[in-house]
Amino acid sequence: MLHIEKVAAAYGDVQALWDVSLDVQVNEIVVLIGPNGAGKTTLMRTIAGLHRPRSGRILFEGTALHTVAAHQIVERGIILVPEGRRLFEGMTVLENLQLGAYTRRAKQQRDKTLRHVLDIFPLLAERRHDRASSLSGGQQQMLAIGRALMGLPRLLMLDEPSLGLAPLIVRHIFEIVKSIKEEGVTVLLVEQNARRALELAHRAYILEQGRIVGTGSGSDLLHNDEVREAYLGYAPVTARTLT
Amino acid sequence: MMRRIVMRRIGMRDVAMTSPAALTRSRAWRGPVLMAGVIALAALVPVLIDKQDTLNLLFLICLHITLGQSWNILAGFAGQTSLGHAAFFGIGALVTRTLWLNGMFFPVAFLLSGLAAVAFAMLIGVPTFRLRGAYFAIGTLGIAEVLRITVSQNLPLISTMPAAEIAAYNLTLRYYVALALALTTIGAAALLLRSSWSLGILAVREDEEAAQATGVNVLGHKLLALFISSFFAGLAGGLFAFQQISYYPSAAFSPVWTFDALLITFIGGLGTIGGPVLGAIFFILVRQRLAVTLVEVHQIVFGILFILIVLVFPGGLMGAWDRLRPRAIAEALRSRRQLHKS
């Protein structure tokens, strides 16, 4: 579905991505893990058209994305839930959701989609006339996901949806991600919370210092010693016996 | 703070949610009736009052409502600060004056002032709007100054109406043109906020990148706001050219036009329909008073006033009214009481 081929990206002289290649198949959950500053957000922004790659190709169902304007990428059904949510805080919950369906394709079914999204997030229905800034962190993340769903995504990209949220809410968010996938939406997920993300993932990629350094199925990586040590907080066996 | 006022004033929520039935039940009729009354009164002024000074003052108010509202459409709604409105105004004035005094039918020459300003605005907007941040503001400021200097060097002579035109000069006609233009501009701003583009335009103001990520064509929406804004700024210039018996062509390019528009919008309330209207009335009346007693020094007074408003009443007159009117105070008290109970 999504095919990324040798993408390089930079901010001025600082290169953030080097020859990144990655594939996402239809109706998969693909997870991208890696330390802070590895380039995960840059990669997501580049796919969404918010940042232009320096070289390489990004194809969605065979057609190029890296030359297309951001709003047209949304029109094709690739929708990003950005890091830090980026809600329109001065607007109401409802207005945020309506903006999610701003593309021509989504606008036609706006009312129907709205009912569906409010079914998934009943809390948003209750607070639909409140300003987005008055929501709690968890509710704001739900609104951010709801806004993305309003655009009828075919590929939903989530950038750190659990950031700064309480564990219980994080679990809820992950359940929602899973149910979104079950509705037939393909998911590309960037997460700090590697364990939970890998449990959910069909496949995962590890991004370090702007390069893909590993890939495998979610369960493979969960049981890989290097991954466990670097991302899941386990000390390697040898180190443990020494102490 | 400012955002909240903006949203309430704009009434986005009402547009989206109020059913026609609820509208007839509520007191929504009061606004339109009040508005019709003010318009009727404004239209009758030349019949009721036979003082040229008063008419001239009202003309100036209408001109400044147009200019302020034009600036507000771009800065207040779309969040794009223009520091070059003088360029749109000046081009409008130059085009209308030149064509009209060379024998073109005035309404056509007038319309062309708006279109010329639009054409010029697109030349600046298309390259600078692709960049985020201050590029547009700086770009418009720079180009406006270049234009002013170019015009003052190439057209150094005062432009005066032909004697026959002066002999037949009709201020009442000019007042009606100004009134119609001001009302059209206010109407255009209100229509824009009720259009399907309004959410997108306001989203661009709130967070450009988030707007992009939700599928808003940011460049397109900025250009739409610039199109409407520059069109009316150009027409305001055309109106100025129609009214002035004689003036230096470069005077219409003076940065004062930009900063008057900015001041009016901030005094009245940025991002509100009523703001530039109240702001223009206040601005012209106060300026008229101060100019008599303080001459040039009155500019400083407005500078201080501007700083005070931004600090104390960031919502301008509209916001101050919202905070101070009896009903708002009653509501605030009630919610505080409820807070204590719970």
Side-chain angles (χ1 to χ4, degrees), chain B residues 138-190:
Chain B
I138 303 295
T140 47
L141 179 65
I143 290 170
E145 276 301 282
V146 169
L147 264 182
R148 183 181 63 80
I149 293 164
T150 311
V151 169
S152 67
Q153 305 229 312
N154 290 298
L155 300 167
L157 298 179
I158 200 159
S159 161
T160 306
M161 281 184 197
E165 199 66 55
I166 298 173
Y169 191 85
N170 181 349
L171 185 59
T172 307
L173 168 69
R174 273 138 180 105
Y175 168 67
Y176 279 127
V177 175
L179 181 63
L181 178 59
L183 290 174
T184 311
T185 315
I186 298 167

Side-chain angles (χ1 to χ4, degrees), chain B residues 196-217:
Chain B
S196 59
W197 296 298
S198 73
L199 268 183
I201 284 181
L202 297 175
V204 169
R205 178 188 70 188
E206 292 249 331
D207 185 336
E208 217 172 278
E209 187 167 301
Q212 239 176 336
T214 50
V216 176
N217 178 354

